[in-house]
Amino acid sequence: MTDNPEIAQLVGALGEALGPDGPSLAIAESCTGGMICYALVSDPEVSGALERGFIVYSLDSKCELLDLDRVEVESCQGVSRNVAMGMATAALQRSHADLALAVTGFAGPQESNEEVGLVHLAIARNGAEPLHEVHHFGDRGRETVCRKATLAALGMLLSEARKM
């Protein structure tokens, strides 16, 4: 199980919300690089819900694996509301999952004029408009931004799972 108690608590609550026959999940991660999938598979009560994960850290991977528009992805360095929603929608379409979550952001250090700590989250499910959240965690170091993004993503996923 994950060694972060906040993450473990959210994953446990997600397991309760999903139940044994609940929706399956697809996760498309950029800035978190697999942290969300790791958190899910570290709990045996939740791991079975994970249908698949996409680690799309580079701009190329977002375009090649999720078929996002290269011009749009390059124009924002892969971090925007539209990219996050596109990632979630593509993850849903390229899986057998009932619910897809995507995360993209700038974890740092700052390379040009991007806002370190800016993170976009999105959720897609069949028959519904994608949901979006934006977070401004600040330039607090890669580890902190990734942890906060993982917590926010799991919270968003939990909220949506409780509605299903």
Side-chain angles (χ1 to χ4, degrees):
M1 183 165 288
T2 180
D3 59 355
N4 182 296
E6 291 175 291
I7 291 174
Q9 183 178 16
L10 277 171
V11 170
L14 181 60
E16 291 175 17
L18 293 172
D21 298 317
S24 57
L25 308 173
I27 311 294
E29 297 184 68
S30 183
C31 63
T32 51
M35 289 176 70
I36 298 165
C37 287
Y38 170 75
L40 296 175
V41 300
S42 68
D43 186 327
E45 299 296 319
V46 183
S47 64
L50 182 62
E51 199 277 325
R52 72 184 68 189
F54 300 86
I55 307 301
V56 289
Y57 195 76
S58 70
L59 300 183
D60 285 340
S61 65
K62 288 174 182 67
C63 298
E64 293 167 9
L65 294 176
L66 299 178
D67 199 31
L68 299 186
D69 180 72
R70 182 163 294 278
V71 172
E72 182 172 358
V73 169
E74 288 178 352
S75 73
C76 62
Q77 298 172 294
V79 178
S80 73
R81 176 183 189 275
N82 288 343
V83 169
M85 292 198 324
M87 288 170 59
T89 300
L92 187 65
Q93 293 169 344
R94 287 168 170 67
S95 71
H96 302 284
D98 302 304
L99 189 62
L101 172 116
V103 58
T104 187
F106 296 119
Q110 189 172 30
E111 293 182 11
S112 57
N113 64 347
E114 72 259 7
E115 177 191 339
V116 176
L118 172 65
V119 174
H120 290 271
L121 303 171
I123 286 185
R125 65 184 169 101
N126 289 322
E129 288 295 314
L131 303 174
H132 171 259
E133 287 183 5
V134 62
H135 296 271
H136 303 272
F137 297 122
D139 190 354
R140 300 167 58 180
R142 290 178 70 80
E143 185 177 334
T144 298
V145 171
C146 289
R147 181 176 41 80
K148 289 195 167 290
T150 298
L151 286 165
L154 290 169
M156 187 178 185
L157 198 54
L158 174 60
S159 177
E160 192 62 18
R162 285 179 171 158
K163 296 176 191 174
M164 296 182 81

